[in-house]
Amino acid sequence: MQRLSAMNPSAFEIQPVENPATSQQRAAAMADLGFGRIYTEHMARVRYVDGQGWIDAKIVPYQPIQLDPAASVLHYGQAIFEGFKAYRQDDGGISTFRPEANALRFQTSARRLAMPEMPVELFVEAADLLIRQENEWVPPNVGESLYLRPLMIATEAGLGVRPAKEYLFLLFGSPSGAYFPRGIKPVSVWISTEYIRAAPGGTGHTKCAGNYAASLVAQRSAKEKGCDQVVWLDAFQRKYVEEMGGMNLFFVYTNGGKTKIVTPALTGSLLPGVTRDSILAIARDFGWEATEGTISVEDWKRDVETGALSEVFACGTAAVVTPVGEVKSKDGDFLIHGGETGPVATKVREQLLAIQHGQVADSHGWMHRVL
Ligand code: COI
């Protein structure tokens, strides 16, 4: 058993699959990608034991895991995850986008759930090694990628309610295309006043599994109202817009040729999206005003009516940039940009993808070369 220090994470043992997929098998598996439906042949695995630290780092064949029925995660929910992507570059190589940002957010999530914080270098090394092992599974086209899913769960058996002493970190890859089945067509949203996603002091700023479990009933209710996605409001007043489903939102104002984009400020209950942060920077590169602020449902409706608000779009790692075309709520419905994709969402999406695929200069130093 190997103990890893934070300073020397390069101690992964590589155990390759005995019968790797042939190129024909890979091509058949990747013919119709969608999102998160297929997984590659290996995964990274690291254990954490109190008193020993991070141990047993391996790249192993992708396989089911065994858990004791009393494992703490199954009862008290110490489970966190991340999502980032490896992109085929124009020159044939492979790079990930801001993996350190995801590693840092993974630490934030771990801290909030009383779990151990994985060193950034170990997180990035696990991904790099897995991607190198799976490089043939990184799809070639713009808009496609190898979606990487790191996760950590509490594995110690025991029914006492306290932070577990043993954890399992896994990281696997899923070759992916468009997140939404309709591609980048605008989505319709239902503004939920019944359910909330998060409250200050809670876990809204983390990527813990429970946040997503608690969102599902609202997502189902949005579907029942004929909408694709739910929009979350603040917990206290049910007035201010926070997020859409698992994505951050941007509001676009255009006036006399000037463009301004505004995203709800990080109050503690919102997820600090890596894509959100990147879009704020890209917008400033374009010479637009880009700010974080407070947007009420009332402002949203009024500004669409007056024409001040020209577009709304959601953003996240999985779906990149997705326009919002229609808003429904108990107080009525309205369209944004005639229900069509607008030029600002299109431009932001194209620029982000161009940076991620190495087609334009990476002026912010966001790309991490893997191969
Ligand atoms: C993302 O936008 O990347 C998300 O967080 C959605 C993911 C949970 C599938």
Side-chain angles (χ1 to χ4, degrees):
M1 195 175 295
Q2 181 124 37
R3 182 171 176 169
L4 304 172
S5 89
M7 300 316 294
N8 176 27
S10 305
F12 278 79
E13 183 186 323
I14 312 250
Q15 294 176 359
V17 285
E18 279 178 16
N19 297 305
T22 62
S23 52
Q24 287 92 332
Q25 285 168 331
R26 251 193 324 272
M30 295 210 286
D32 175 25
L33 282 176
F35 177 81
R37 293 204 295 247
I38 59 165
Y39 316 107
T40 65
E41 297 165 272
H42 299 84
M43 61 186 189
R45 194 176 73 189
V46 187
R47 295 198 306 127
Y48 179 91
V49 178
D50 257 17
Q52 295 182 53
W54 301 94
I55 57 171
D56 248 356
K58 290 188 177 131
I59 302 289
V60 294
Y62 184 91
Q63 61 195 289
I65 55 170
Q66 271 203 332
L67 275 183
D68 192 299
S72 179
V73 63
L74 300 176
H75 306 270
Y76 309 130
Q78 278 182 293
I80 58 172
F81 71 96
E82 268 302 324
F84 63 108
K85 288 174 168 175
Y87 302 84
R88 185 67 65 186
Q89 301 298 286
D90 247 19
D91 63 7
I94 299 172
S95 296
T96 47
F97 182 70
R98 307 188 68 183
E100 297 87 1
N102 294 89
L104 288 169
R105 192 171 62 187
F106 199 60
Q107 291 186 335
T108 302
S109 300
R111 235 173 4 254
R112 179 61 182 81
L113 269 74
M115 298 168 84
E117 292 176 44
M118 175 173 258
V120 170
E121 314 82 66
L122 183 54
F123 180 101
V124 174
E125 177 85 354
D128 287 359
L129 289 172
L130 181 74
I131 295 162
R132 286 185 201 123
Q133 189 72 31
E134 308 292 48
N135 86 80
E136 314 255 28
W137 286 97
V138 179
N141 302 314
V142 171
E144 298 176 344
S145 58
L146 181 64
Y147 179 79
L148 296 152
R149 173 51 65 87
L151 67 117
M152 178 164 46
I153 55 172
T155 49
E156 188 195 2
L159 299 183
V161 181
R162 57 161 174 78
K165 294 194 166 79
E166 292 177 21
Y167 296 86
L168 178 66
F169 168 84
L170 297 173
L171 190 158
F172 60 92
S174 176
S176 294
Y179 182 78
F180 290 112
R182 284 183 300 158
I184 58 159
K185 286 254 154 54
V187 292
S188 55
V189 297
W190 173 257
I191 298 184
S192 176
T193 44
E194 188 182 357
Y195 301 107
I196 55 150
R197 177 183 168 277
T203 57
H205 62 300
T206 74
K207 246 174 143 59
C208 69
N211 285 348
Y212 294 79
S215 76
L216 299 177
V217 68
Q219 177 61 32
R220 187 166 65 193
S221 142
K223 284 257 183 253
E224 284 162 6
K225 307 280 201 281
C227 293
D228 300 305
Q229 288 285 309
V230 58
V231 163
W232 303 106
L233 302 181
D234 75 284
F236 292 130
Q237 302 185 62
R238 312 277 163 109
K239 198 170 157 186
Y240 299 105
V241 178
E242 296 209 329
E243 294 186 16
M244 180 194 91
M247 303 172 73
N248 295 117
L249 280 167
F250 275 94
F251 294 76
V252 181
Y253 303 86
T254 34
N255 187 3
K258 285 215 161 79
T259 300
K260 174 175 153 185
I261 66 168
V262 183
T263 190
L266 301 177
T267 55
S269 53
L270 281 80
L271 190 78
V274 177
T275 312
R276 173 189 180 279
D277 182 68
S278 309
I279 289 175
L280 285 169
I282 286 174
R284 288 173 192 138
D285 292 345
F286 286 149
W288 302 342
E289 192 183 335
T291 60
E292 304 176 65
T294 307
I295 299 120
S296 69
V297 177
E298 231 173 85
D299 296 341
W300 187 350
K301 189 160 189 265
R302 188 202 54 233
D303 291 346
V304 168
E305 275 165 13
T306 64
L309 176 58
S310 56
E311 293 176 48
V312 175
F313 62 86
C315 68
T317 297
V320 193
V321 167
T322 303
V324 175
E326 188 175 11
V327 182
K328 296 187 184 185
S329 73
K330 62 177 175 44
D331 301 321
D333 309 344
F334 59 94
L335 290 179
I336 306 169
H337 204 78
E340 299 297 327
T341 300
V344 171
T346 304
K347 188 166 169 162
V348 168
R349 181 185 170 86
E350 283 174 359
Q351 180 69 3
L352 199 48
L353 287 172
I355 295 171
Q356 290 168 336
H357 286 278
Q359 296 172 332
V360 296
D362 172 25
S363 58
H364 296 278
W366 285 334
M367 301 311 293
H368 170 79
R369 190 80 184 198
V370 178
L371 205 67

